[in-house]
Amino acid sequence: MREGRLIVESQALQWGLAEETVQAAVLITSELLTNAVEATPGSPVALRMGLVGNGLQVEVWDSSPERPRRSSPDLEGPLSGAADPGGWGLGIVDALSEAHGVRDEAEGKSVWAVVKALRGDRR
């Protein structure tokens, strides 16, 4: 997942996007990749990204046809004794993206999100 985050960060910076856009895209990428890897342990996943309209789209494919479900985060943290303190992923994607969704594929699905592509100071 680290590699996927680095790819998104590097390419978004090369496109001259603002740090705010880059960091939102990196965090969304991390969440989407985590969900894909957890849905299909040991199977390949694919990461795609591109500029669309006035946004940066990040998309992750996995071979599972099961759509991701939003779960409730464990707000008590380690004190609750929960083995998996997750549950934040899709809420983070929702909060940071302009739009997001799931597209069924011939095999599996693609989960995508679009971050508003603010331009940075560098040109």
Side-chain angles (χ1 to χ4, degrees):
M1 284 176 274
R2 181 176 187 273
E3 185 177 339
R5 291 189 307 264
L6 291 172
I7 289 168
V8 169
E9 181 178 38
S10 175
Q11 184 60 59
L13 289 171
Q14 285 180 20
W15 285 336
L17 300 179
E19 188 66 27
E20 176 183 343
T21 299
V22 174
Q23 292 310 313
V26 167
L27 187 50
I28 287 170
T29 299
S30 182
E31 297 300 333
L32 296 183
L33 284 170
T34 297
N35 287 350
V37 168
E38 288 178 359
T40 59
S43 297
V45 298
L47 170 65
R48 294 182 281 248
M49 65 183 289
L51 297 174
V52 293
N54 68 340
L56 170 62
Q57 181 168 315
V58 176
E59 183 174 315
V60 175
W61 170 87
D62 68 62
S63 61
S64 171
E66 189 172 327
R67 290 175 168 250
R69 295 184 325 261
R70 181 177 273 190
S71 60
S72 297
D74 174 14
L75 299 177
E76 296 183 30
L79 299 178
S80 71
D84 177 14
W88 296 96
L90 292 179
I92 290 171
V93 172
D94 188 44
L96 294 177
S97 66
E98 296 285 310
H100 60 87
V102 181
R103 183 177 61 256
D104 294 323
E105 302 283 357
E107 182 182 337
K109 66 180 173 303
S110 289
V111 183
W112 58 270
V114 176
V115 179
K116 186 172 184 177
L118 303 172
R119 295 290 170 182
D121 296 348
R122 38 193 154 357
R123 298 226 192 285

